Amino acid sequence: MQIPENVKKRLSIPADEHFYAGHTACQGCGAALGLRYVLKTYGRKTIFTIPACCSTIIAGPWPYSTLDAPLFHTAFETTGAVMGGIEAALKAKGYKVKGEDGVMVVGWAGDGGTADIGLQALSGFLERGHDALYIMYDNEAYMNTGIQRSSSTPYGAWTTNTPGGKKHFLEKRHKKKVIDIVIAHEIPYAATASVAYPEDFIRKLKKAREIKGPSFIQLFAPCPTGWRAPTDKSIELARLAVQTAYFPLFEYENGKYKINMPSPKKEPKPIEEFLKLQGRFKYMTQEDIESLQNWVLREWEKLKKLAEVFG
Amino acid sequence: MEYKPIRKVVSGNYAAAYAAKHARVEVVAAYPITPQTSIIEKIAEFIANGEVENLQYVPVESEHSAMAACIGASAAGARAFTATSAQGLALMHEMLHWAAGARLPIVMVDVNRAMAPPWSVWDDQTDSLAQRDTGWLQFYAENNQEVYDGVLMSFKIAETVNLPAMVIESAFILSHTYDVVEMIPQELVDEFLPPRKPLYTLTDFDNPISVGALGTPADYYEFRYKIAKAMEDAKKVIREVGKEFGERFGRDYSQMIELYRTEDADFVFMGMGSLMGTVKQAVDILREEGYKVGAAKVRWFRPFPSEELYELAKNVEGIAVLDRNFSFGQEGILFNEAKGVLYNTDAHPIMKNYIVGLGGRDFTVADVKKIAENMKAIIDKGELDVEVDWYHLKR
Ligand SMILES: Cc1ncc(C[n+]2csc(CCOP(=O)(O)OP(=O)(O)O)c2C)c(N)n1
Ligand code: SF4
């Protein structure tokens, strides 16, 4: 369908499409949706680095590519380092990096590839100040290898290596706060985003394109397959994660925190609303739920304080 | 422009750094490890002194990332360089496969160092030989001059066949020992090695490419064959580039195995790297003492110079293979390869494996002479001696 130019200009989500149909993501995949928004925002002049993760598969087997932009598939733990090398090459060759007419260098990695095995390369990338954007799409487990826990898996979640069972062998560590680790590097820009709030996500992508130096976005990307949730609930789940303050939306820009909640005045909804739609939380006892709820509210208070003091 | 070399007294490491500079490398990503460090320090100095333009130096947080960053840079079209040793090389292992699989002509200097434990910083070839199957070309330098020449030639060869290349020098014996190196004026290097022209790059925004996507069983096999073919084709390129280098700069590298006084030799010593300098000296002395011996220095271990080995093996009674490396559960790695090559030919000289100099154990002219005596006795008896000789072993 042809969209008239004057209409295109008014759209809050760019009409341009650089993510081909016919890819191999599951129905309702948040990662695929997120990647599509990135391509809509940045277009072809974007060099992607994607490590081992579901997105390697979504991007298509040789000789196909779902992405209508250059893409380097890399080893699981190397996203930050490869992006750094690409950015260095662009500089050496005199390309304009970033800005609307510049080249965007984007890393697109899962939570496992970011919070676990790729944390060192991420830290190096951030600390060295490369002019590029790292996006961690957070589906809260190693999905590509069949739903194993990562350090970004929440407390109480079933995964294939925290399978519940008689001994209640569940994930009993709270989600690692990768974004806090990122912010500790004092980079110019870090933000959380969610596929349920594409306008907010796209605004952040545009900001990352203008800001000099490294930026980081942690994108909440539901995985119905791994979360044992209906495929038509992905957006609802992503929205509930924000509304319960389980995954609050905020930005950290040059030392300042800003909360971007859709309804800032509202109190967080109870965490059960988020949990009950997902099979992965079915082994949780009341005590487990309380523990998670307390963690969510504690972290939410912390964030509000940060925004108050460093806003 | 007429070729007038610039003579500089430099260490092997500085020779490597100068070669990288003269190759106009665009991205260097590296991580320090003894005895490699002075290579990357020197390159940083070039930048600090404004002696190089357009060189991006990425001080990564590990060797794994050093190789990953070189891979990203090379895929984006840059000429990328790095250097490492032992533990660092081992840490890169996964990415060595990646560089070759993605067909990226990165050049790396490996300063041969023994693998730990026990900790050692001294010379030993097992680190680089353990990377044998990663799809990297491997050039072993005998002296500082060959380090310099090897880096320049390797860029040209690698960029022709689209495979990465490793230039290997000995810990301390070369890396930290000063010697005269004839360097080539920049304009002449530029003529020999023009800017890289990649077939594909990530910066082609009109025709976006995807590198390294999933290869199903229907395609993976052909990808491997193409690497095998490129490695085989590299032999011709190595010989041509080696010849061209000789014509331009007076040092001929058209032979993948350098032969030294082998014409009428009864038996030869075969080995790689700096120890072959010692061997050549010993050959001269042994010749004076009446031994008809020669030396065969394997310059390129990958691709393996099978044809040249066969030509040599046809004409000698014995080959004493000197391995400064070991494959546990088997034997010296060069020995193992050489034997394998000759099995399918009609050249079957007596071959004997001597394990020498591991972890930097001194290997001298006197040692070569003792090995010569031993080898001569074996040949005189005319019997195969299949035992691996742990030559220096304290008993
Ligand atoms: C060094 C290494 N170890 C393990 C793997 C196997 N592996 C491939 S993808 C993956 C999990 C990816 O998880 P994540 O980064 O969270 O992305 P997701 O698949 O969930 O999108 C693992 C463990 C690998 N490719 N490389
Ligand atoms: S397993 Fe999850 S993350 Fe992977 S493609 Fe399916 S829905 Fe997407």
PDB file of all heavy atoms in Angstrom, chain A residues 281-308:
ATOM      1  N   PHE A 281       5.565 -18.791  35.431  1.00  0.00           N
ATOM      2  CA  PHE A 281       5.535 -18.438  36.852  1.00  0.00           C
ATOM      3  C   PHE A 281       4.632 -19.365  37.663  1.00  0.00           C
ATOM      4  O   PHE A 281       4.342 -19.112  38.814  1.00  0.00           O
ATOM      5  CB  PHE A 281       5.081 -16.979  37.023  1.00  0.00           C
ATOM      6  CG  PHE A 281       6.065 -15.991  36.461  1.00  0.00           C
ATOM      7  CD1 PHE A 281       5.718 -15.143  35.421  1.00  0.00           C
ATOM      8  CD2 PHE A 281       7.358 -15.898  36.983  1.00  0.00           C
ATOM      9  CE1 PHE A 281       6.627 -14.228  34.902  1.00  0.00           C
ATOM     10  CE2 PHE A 281       8.276 -14.985  36.468  1.00  0.00           C
ATOM     11  CZ  PHE A 281       7.910 -14.155  35.418  1.00  0.00           C
ATOM     12  N   LYS A 282       4.199 -20.465  37.049  1.00  0.00           N
ATOM     13  CA  LYS A 282       3.161 -21.264  37.706  1.00  0.00           C
ATOM     14  C   LYS A 282       3.661 -22.022  38.938  1.00  0.00           C
ATOM     15  O   LYS A 282       2.874 -22.452  39.755  1.00  0.00           O
ATOM     16  CB  LYS A 282       2.518 -22.220  36.705  1.00  0.00           C
ATOM     17  CG  LYS A 282       3.404 -23.373  36.293  1.00  0.00           C
ATOM     18  CD  LYS A 282       2.608 -24.352  35.444  1.00  0.00           C
ATOM     19  CE  LYS A 282       3.512 -25.488  35.007  1.00  0.00           C
ATOM     20  NZ  LYS A 282       2.983 -26.309  33.958  1.00  0.00           N
ATOM     21  N   TYR A 283       4.961 -22.165  39.066  1.00  0.00           N
ATOM     22  CA  TYR A 283       5.467 -22.885  40.244  1.00  0.00           C
ATOM     23  C   TYR A 283       5.661 -21.984  41.457  1.00  0.00           C
ATOM     24  O   TYR A 283       6.040 -22.440  42.519  1.00  0.00           O
ATOM     25  CB  TYR A 283       6.808 -23.555  39.922  1.00  0.00           C
ATOM     26  CG  TYR A 283       6.706 -24.674  38.920  1.00  0.00           C
ATOM     27  CD1 TYR A 283       7.037 -24.474  37.584  1.00  0.00           C
ATOM     28  CD2 TYR A 283       6.271 -25.940  39.320  1.00  0.00           C
ATOM     29  CE1 TYR A 283       6.942 -25.503  36.660  1.00  0.00           C
ATOM     30  CE2 TYR A 283       6.173 -26.975  38.400  1.00  0.00           C
ATOM     31  CZ  TYR A 283       6.504 -26.753  37.072  1.00  0.00           C
ATOM     32  OH  TYR A 283       6.404 -27.764  36.171  1.00  0.00           O
ATOM     33  N   MET A 284       5.438 -20.686  41.275  1.00  0.00           N
ATOM     34  CA  MET A 284       5.716 -19.756  42.377  1.00  0.00           C
ATOM     35  C   MET A 284       4.734 -19.944  43.532  1.00  0.00           C
ATOM     36  O   MET A 284       3.523 -20.033  43.321  1.00  0.00           O
ATOM     37  CB  MET A 284       5.651 -18.308  41.887  1.00  0.00           C
ATOM     38  CG  MET A 284       6.857 -17.904  41.077  1.00  0.00           C
ATOM     39  SD  MET A 284       6.664 -16.239  40.404  1.00  0.00           S
ATOM     40  CE  MET A 284       7.442 -15.267  41.673  1.00  0.00           C
ATOM     41  N   THR A 285       5.268 -19.960  44.736  1.00  0.00           N
ATOM     42  CA  THR A 285       4.418 -19.997  45.924  1.00  0.00           C
ATOM     43  C   THR A 285       4.036 -18.554  46.263  1.00  0.00           C
ATOM     44  O   THR A 285       4.598 -17.604  45.697  1.00  0.00           O
ATOM     45  CB  THR A 285       5.193 -20.572  47.118  1.00  0.00           C
ATOM     46  OG1 THR A 285       6.324 -19.726  47.347  1.00  0.00           O
ATOM     47  CG2 THR A 285       5.683 -21.989  46.841  1.00  0.00           C
ATOM     48  N   GLN A 286       3.119 -18.420  47.210  1.00  0.00           N
ATOM     49  CA  GLN A 286       2.726 -17.072  47.638  1.00  0.00           C
ATOM     50  C   GLN A 286       3.946 -16.307  48.136  1.00  0.00           C
ATOM     51  O   GLN A 286       4.121 -15.123  47.864  1.00  0.00           O
ATOM     52  CB  GLN A 286       1.646 -17.172  48.727  1.00  0.00           C
ATOM     53  CG  GLN A 286       0.807 -15.905  48.880  1.00  0.00           C
ATOM     54  CD  GLN A 286       0.282 -15.363  47.529  1.00  0.00           C
ATOM     55  OE1 GLN A 286      -0.225 -16.105  46.682  1.00  0.00           O
ATOM     56  NE2 GLN A 286       0.442 -14.053  47.294  1.00  0.00           N
ATOM     57  N   GLU A 287       4.806 -17.045  48.836  1.00  0.00           N
ATOM     58  CA  GLU A 287       6.025 -16.434  49.378  1.00  0.00           C
ATOM     59  C   GLU A 287       6.932 -15.916  48.261  1.00  0.00           C
ATOM     60  O   GLU A 287       7.484 -14.821  48.347  1.00  0.00           O
ATOM     61  CB  GLU A 287       6.800 -17.519  50.134  1.00  0.00           C
ATOM     62  CG  GLU A 287       7.240 -17.166  51.527  1.00  0.00           C
ATOM     63  CD  GLU A 287       7.814 -18.405  52.187  1.00  0.00           C
ATOM     64  OE1 GLU A 287       7.000 -19.268  52.603  1.00  0.00           O
ATOM     65  OE2 GLU A 287       9.051 -18.544  52.209  1.00  0.00           O
ATOM     66  N   ASP A 288       7.041 -16.725  47.215  1.00  0.00           N
ATOM     67  CA  ASP A 288       7.853 -16.312  46.061  1.00  0.00           C
ATOM     68  C   ASP A 288       7.304 -15.024  45.462  1.00  0.00           C
ATOM     69  O   ASP A 288       8.052 -14.098  45.140  1.00  0.00           O
ATOM     70  CB  ASP A 288       7.838 -17.385  44.960  1.00  0.00           C
ATOM     71  CG  ASP A 288       8.613 -18.631  45.344  1.00  0.00           C
ATOM     72  OD1 ASP A 288       9.599 -18.507  46.107  1.00  0.00           O
ATOM     73  OD2 ASP A 288       8.241 -19.730  44.873  1.00  0.00           O
ATOM     74  N   ILE A 289       5.991 -14.987  45.331  1.00  0.00           N
ATOM     75  CA  ILE A 289       5.361 -13.810  44.720  1.00  0.00           C
ATOM     76  C   ILE A 289       5.616 -12.571  45.565  1.00  0.00           C
ATOM     77  O   ILE A 289       5.952 -11.510  45.055  1.00  0.00           O
ATOM     78  CB  ILE A 289       3.849 -14.047  44.501  1.00  0.00           C
ATOM     79  CG1 ILE A 289       3.660 -15.190  43.484  1.00  0.00           C
ATOM     80  CG2 ILE A 289       3.141 -12.778  44.030  1.00  0.00           C
ATOM     81  CD1 ILE A 289       2.229 -15.648  43.292  1.00  0.00           C
ATOM     82  N   GLU A 290       5.518 -12.769  46.873  1.00  0.00           N
ATOM     83  CA  GLU A 290       5.785 -11.633  47.783  1.00  0.00           C
ATOM     84  C   GLU A 290       7.218 -11.149  47.647  1.00  0.00           C
ATOM     85  O   GLU A 290       7.497  -9.957  47.612  1.00  0.00           O
ATOM     86  CB  GLU A 290       5.527 -12.034  49.245  1.00  0.00           C
ATOM     87  CG  GLU A 290       4.095 -11.761  49.650  1.00  0.00           C
ATOM     88  CD  GLU A 290       3.714 -12.503  50.929  1.00  0.00           C
ATOM     89  OE1 GLU A 290       4.598 -12.669  51.816  1.00  0.00           O
ATOM     90  OE2 GLU A 290       2.554 -12.960  51.012  1.00  0.00           O
ATOM     91  N   SER A 291       8.102 -12.108  47.559  1.00  0.00           N
ATOM     92  CA  SER A 291       9.512 -11.753  47.438  1.00  0.00           C
ATOM     93  C   SER A 291       9.750 -10.927  46.166  1.00  0.00           C
ATOM     94  O   SER A 291      10.437  -9.902  46.190  1.00  0.00           O
ATOM     95  CB  SER A 291      10.353 -13.033  47.428  1.00  0.00           C
ATOM     96  OG  SER A 291      11.667 -12.737  47.079  1.00  0.00           O
ATOM     97  N   LEU A 292       9.137 -11.375  45.076  1.00  0.00           N
ATOM     98  CA  LEU A 292       9.291 -10.645  43.816  1.00  0.00           C
ATOM     99  C   LEU A 292       8.640  -9.269  43.910  1.00  0.00           C
ATOM    100  O   LEU A 292       9.223  -8.260  43.499  1.00  0.00           O
ATOM    101  CB  LEU A 292       8.683 -11.456  42.661  1.00  0.00           C
ATOM    102  CG  LEU A 292       8.775 -10.813  41.277  1.00  0.00           C
ATOM    103  CD1 LEU A 292      10.229 -10.581  40.869  1.00  0.00           C
ATOM    104  CD2 LEU A 292       8.077 -11.673  40.221  1.00  0.00           C
ATOM    105  N   GLN A 293       7.426  -9.242  44.506  1.00  0.00           N
ATOM    106  CA  GLN A 293       6.715  -7.965  44.645  1.00  0.00           C
ATOM    107  C   GLN A 293       7.554  -6.957  45.453  1.00  0.00           C
ATOM    108  O   GLN A 293       7.672  -5.785  45.074  1.00  0.00           O
ATOM    109  CB  GLN A 293       5.359  -8.193  45.336  1.00  0.00           C
ATOM    110  CG  GLN A 293       4.547  -6.919  45.500  1.00  0.00           C
ATOM    111  CD  GLN A 293       4.046  -6.358  44.176  1.00  0.00           C
ATOM    112  OE1 GLN A 293       3.079  -6.834  43.596  1.00  0.00           O
ATOM    113  NE2 GLN A 293       4.716  -5.314  43.666  1.00  0.00           N
ATOM    114  N   ASN A 294       8.132  -7.444  46.538  1.00  0.00           N
ATOM    115  CA  ASN A 294       8.946  -6.548  47.374  1.00  0.00           C
ATOM    116  C   ASN A 294      10.138  -5.996  46.601  1.00  0.00           C
ATOM    117  O   ASN A 294      10.483  -4.830  46.707  1.00  0.00           O
ATOM    118  CB  ASN A 294       9.458  -7.284  48.621  1.00  0.00           C
ATOM    119  CG  ASN A 294       8.315  -7.585  49.578  1.00  0.00           C
ATOM    120  OD1 ASN A 294       7.243  -6.961  49.493  1.00  0.00           O
ATOM    121  ND2 ASN A 294       8.513  -8.559  50.457  1.00  0.00           N
ATOM    122  N   TRP A 295      10.728  -6.874  45.828  1.00  0.00           N
ATOM    123  CA  TRP A 295      11.895  -6.447  45.032  1.00  0.00           C
ATOM    124  C   TRP A 295      11.483  -5.377  44.025  1.00  0.00           C
ATOM    125  O   TRP A 295      12.141  -4.350  43.888  1.00  0.00           O
ATOM    126  CB  TRP A 295      12.491  -7.673  44.329  1.00  0.00           C
ATOM    127  CG  TRP A 295      13.638  -7.358  43.422  1.00  0.00           C
ATOM    128  CD1 TRP A 295      14.941  -7.192  43.779  1.00  0.00           C
ATOM    129  CD2 TRP A 295      13.590  -7.160  41.992  1.00  0.00           C
ATOM    130  NE1 TRP A 295      15.704  -6.905  42.675  1.00  0.00           N
ATOM    131  CE2 TRP A 295      14.903  -6.877  41.562  1.00  0.00           C
ATOM    132  CE3 TRP A 295      12.566  -7.200  41.042  1.00  0.00           C
ATOM    133  CZ2 TRP A 295      15.229  -6.640  40.230  1.00  0.00           C
ATOM    134  CZ3 TRP A 295      12.881  -6.951  39.714  1.00  0.00           C
ATOM    135  CH2 TRP A 295      14.198  -6.682  39.314  1.00  0.00           C
ATOM    136  N   VAL A 296      10.348  -5.630  43.361  1.00  0.00           N
ATOM    137  CA  VAL A 296       9.875  -4.682  42.345  1.00  0.00           C
ATOM    138  C   VAL A 296       9.653  -3.311  42.969  1.00  0.00           C
ATOM    139  O   VAL A 296      10.135  -2.294  42.456  1.00  0.00           O
ATOM    140  CB  VAL A 296       8.568  -5.195  41.685  1.00  0.00           C
ATOM    141  CG1 VAL A 296       7.882  -4.096  40.888  1.00  0.00           C
ATOM    142  CG2 VAL A 296       8.845  -6.395  40.805  1.00  0.00           C
ATOM    143  N   LEU A 297       8.959  -3.289  44.118  1.00  0.00           N
ATOM    144  CA  LEU A 297       8.628  -1.998  44.723  1.00  0.00           C
ATOM    145  C   LEU A 297       9.870  -1.302  45.279  1.00  0.00           C
ATOM    146  O   LEU A 297      10.005  -0.086  45.184  1.00  0.00           O
ATOM    147  CB  LEU A 297       7.559  -2.183  45.806  1.00  0.00           C
ATOM    148  CG  LEU A 297       6.199  -2.633  45.230  1.00  0.00           C
ATOM    149  CD1 LEU A 297       5.181  -2.858  46.345  1.00  0.00           C
ATOM    150  CD2 LEU A 297       5.660  -1.627  44.205  1.00  0.00           C
ATOM    151  N   ARG A 298      10.770  -2.117  45.819  1.00  0.00           N
ATOM    152  CA  ARG A 298      12.008  -1.537  46.346  1.00  0.00           C
ATOM    153  C   ARG A 298      12.798  -0.868  45.210  1.00  0.00           C
ATOM    154  O   ARG A 298      13.253   0.265  45.329  1.00  0.00           O
ATOM    155  CB  ARG A 298      12.850  -2.643  46.991  1.00  0.00           C
ATOM    156  CG  ARG A 298      14.071  -2.122  47.736  1.00  0.00           C
ATOM    157  CD  ARG A 298      15.008  -3.247  48.103  1.00  0.00           C
ATOM    158  NE  ARG A 298      15.737  -3.706  46.923  1.00  0.00           N
ATOM    159  CZ  ARG A 298      16.336  -4.880  46.836  1.00  0.00           C
ATOM    160  NH1 ARG A 298      16.273  -5.756  47.823  1.00  0.00           N
ATOM    161  NH2 ARG A 298      17.001  -5.200  45.750  1.00  0.00           N
ATOM    162  N   GLU A 299      12.922  -1.585  44.107  1.00  0.00           N
ATOM    163  CA  GLU A 299      13.685  -1.046  42.975  1.00  0.00           C
ATOM    164  C   GLU A 299      12.993   0.171  42.370  1.00  0.00           C
ATOM    165  O   GLU A 299      13.637   1.109  41.922  1.00  0.00           O
ATOM    166  CB  GLU A 299      13.893  -2.130  41.904  1.00  0.00           C
ATOM    167  CG  GLU A 299      14.815  -3.267  42.338  1.00  0.00           C
ATOM    168  CD  GLU A 299      16.197  -2.783  42.750  1.00  0.00           C
ATOM    169  OE1 GLU A 299      16.800  -1.981  42.007  1.00  0.00           O
ATOM    170  OE2 GLU A 299      16.668  -3.191  43.837  1.00  0.00           O
ATOM    171  N   TRP A 300      11.666   0.133  42.379  1.00  0.00           N
ATOM    172  CA  TRP A 300      10.892   1.254  41.846  1.00  0.00           C
ATOM    173  C   TRP A 300      11.110   2.504  42.700  1.00  0.00           C
ATOM    174  O   TRP A 300      11.328   3.602  42.190  1.00  0.00           O
ATOM    175  CB  TRP A 300       9.416   0.837  41.768  1.00  0.00           C
ATOM    176  CG  TRP A 300       8.436   1.917  41.408  1.00  0.00           C
ATOM    177  CD1 TRP A 300       7.320   2.252  42.111  1.00  0.00           C
ATOM    178  CD2 TRP A 300       8.452   2.777  40.258  1.00  0.00           C
ATOM    179  NE1 TRP A 300       6.641   3.269  41.487  1.00  0.00           N
ATOM    180  CE2 TRP A 300       7.319   3.619  40.330  1.00  0.00           C
ATOM    181  CE3 TRP A 300       9.317   2.931  39.187  1.00  0.00           C
ATOM    182  CZ2 TRP A 300       7.029   4.589  39.381  1.00  0.00           C
ATOM    183  CZ3 TRP A 300       9.022   3.903  38.234  1.00  0.00           C
ATOM    184  CH2 TRP A 300       7.898   4.716  38.329  1.00  0.00           C
ATOM    185  N   GLU A 301      11.085   2.313  44.015  1.00  0.00           N
ATOM    186  CA  GLU A 301      11.335   3.444  44.932  1.00  0.00           C
ATOM    187  C   GLU A 301      12.725   4.014  44.690  1.00  0.00           C
ATOM    188  O   GLU A 301      12.939   5.216  44.688  1.00  0.00           O
ATOM    189  CB  GLU A 301      11.197   2.999  46.402  1.00  0.00           C
ATOM    190  CG  GLU A 301       9.769   2.768  46.861  1.00  0.00           C
ATOM    191  CD  GLU A 301       8.848   3.969  46.590  1.00  0.00           C
ATOM    192  OE1 GLU A 301       9.251   5.126  46.848  1.00  0.00           O
ATOM    193  OE2 GLU A 301       7.726   3.745  46.068  1.00  0.00           O
ATOM    194  N   LYS A 302      13.665   3.098  44.515  1.00  0.00           N
ATOM    195  CA  LYS A 302      15.054   3.503  44.286  1.00  0.00           C
ATOM    196  C   LYS A 302      15.133   4.386  43.035  1.00  0.00           C
ATOM    197  O   LYS A 302      15.769   5.442  43.046  1.00  0.00           O
ATOM    198  CB  LYS A 302      15.910   2.243  44.101  1.00  0.00           C
ATOM    199  CG  LYS A 302      17.332   2.375  44.587  1.00  0.00           C
ATOM    200  CD  LYS A 302      17.966   1.025  44.893  1.00  0.00           C
ATOM    201  CE  LYS A 302      18.609   0.395  43.695  1.00  0.00           C
ATOM    202  NZ  LYS A 302      19.075  -0.985  43.968  1.00  0.00           N
ATOM    203  N   LEU A 303      14.475   3.941  41.992  1.00  0.00           N
ATOM    204  CA  LEU A 303      14.515   4.680  40.729  1.00  0.00           C
ATOM    205  C   LEU A 303      13.873   6.061  40.894  1.00  0.00           C
ATOM    206  O   LEU A 303      14.401   7.071  40.409  1.00  0.00           O
ATOM    207  CB  LEU A 303      13.807   3.876  39.630  1.00  0.00           C
ATOM    208  CG  LEU A 303      13.800   4.537  38.245  1.00  0.00           C
ATOM    209  CD1 LEU A 303      15.207   4.658  37.684  1.00  0.00           C
ATOM    210  CD2 LEU A 303      12.926   3.747  37.277  1.00  0.00           C
ATOM    211  N   LYS A 304      12.753   6.089  41.606  1.00  0.00           N
ATOM    212  CA  LYS A 304      12.077   7.375  41.814  1.00  0.00           C
ATOM    213  C   LYS A 304      12.989   8.347  42.577  1.00  0.00           C
ATOM    214  O   LYS A 304      13.054   9.528  42.258  1.00  0.00           O
ATOM    215  CB  LYS A 304      10.756   7.170  42.561  1.00  0.00           C
ATOM    216  CG  LYS A 304       9.655   6.650  41.637  1.00  0.00           C
ATOM    217  CD  LYS A 304       8.266   6.828  42.225  1.00  0.00           C
ATOM    218  CE  LYS A 304       8.094   5.964  43.456  1.00  0.00           C
ATOM    219  NZ  LYS A 304       6.724   5.991  43.986  1.00  0.00           N
ATOM    220  N   LYS A 305      13.676   7.805  43.581  1.00  0.00           N
ATOM    221  CA  LYS A 305      14.614   8.634  44.356  1.00  0.00           C
ATOM    222  C   LYS A 305      15.718   9.179  43.445  1.00  0.00           C
ATOM    223  O   LYS A 305      16.078  10.360  43.521  1.00  0.00           O
ATOM    224  CB  LYS A 305      15.260   7.785  45.471  1.00  0.00           C
ATOM    225  CG  LYS A 305      14.516   7.788  46.779  1.00  0.00           C
ATOM    226  CD  LYS A 305      15.030   8.940  47.639  1.00  0.00           C
ATOM    227  CE  LYS A 305      14.148   9.339  48.808  1.00  0.00           C
ATOM    228  NZ  LYS A 305      12.815   8.813  48.953  1.00  0.00           N
ATOM    229  N   LEU A 306      16.238   8.289  42.606  1.00  0.00           N
ATOM    230  CA  LEU A 306      17.314   8.707  41.699  1.00  0.00           C
ATOM    231  C   LEU A 306      16.837   9.832  40.790  1.00  0.00           C
ATOM    232  O   LEU A 306      17.546  10.812  40.569  1.00  0.00           O
ATOM    233  CB  LEU A 306      17.786   7.523  40.841  1.00  0.00           C
ATOM    234  CG  LEU A 306      18.749   6.548  41.516  1.00  0.00           C
ATOM    235  CD1 LEU A 306      18.889   5.277  40.678  1.00  0.00           C
ATOM    236  CD2 LEU A 306      20.108   7.196  41.722  1.00  0.00           C
ATOM    237  N   ALA A 307      15.605   9.683  40.307  1.00  0.00           N
ATOM    238  CA  ALA A 307      15.065  10.699  39.395  1.00  0.00           C
ATOM    239  C   ALA A 307      14.821  12.006  40.142  1.00  0.00           C
ATOM    240  O   ALA A 307      14.924  13.093  39.574  1.00  0.00           O
ATOM    241  CB  ALA A 307      13.785  10.189  38.762  1.00  0.00           C
ATOM    242  N   GLU A 308      14.493  11.867  41.441  1.00  0.00           N
ATOM    243  CA  GLU A 308      14.246  13.044  42.272  1.00  0.00           C
ATOM    244  C   GLU A 308      15.553  13.795  42.530  1.00  0.00           C
ATOM    245  O   GLU A 308      15.645  15.001  42.363  1.00  0.00           O
ATOM    246  CB  GLU A 308      13.690  12.537  43.606  1.00  0.00           C
ATOM    247  CG  GLU A 308      12.649  13.387  44.268  1.00  0.00           C
ATOM    248  CD  GLU A 308      12.178  12.657  45.524  1.00  0.00           C
ATOM    249  OE1 GLU A 308      11.353  11.732  45.391  1.00  0.00           O
ATOM    250  OE2 GLU A 308      12.704  12.976  46.615  1.00  0.00           O
TER     251      GLU A 308
END
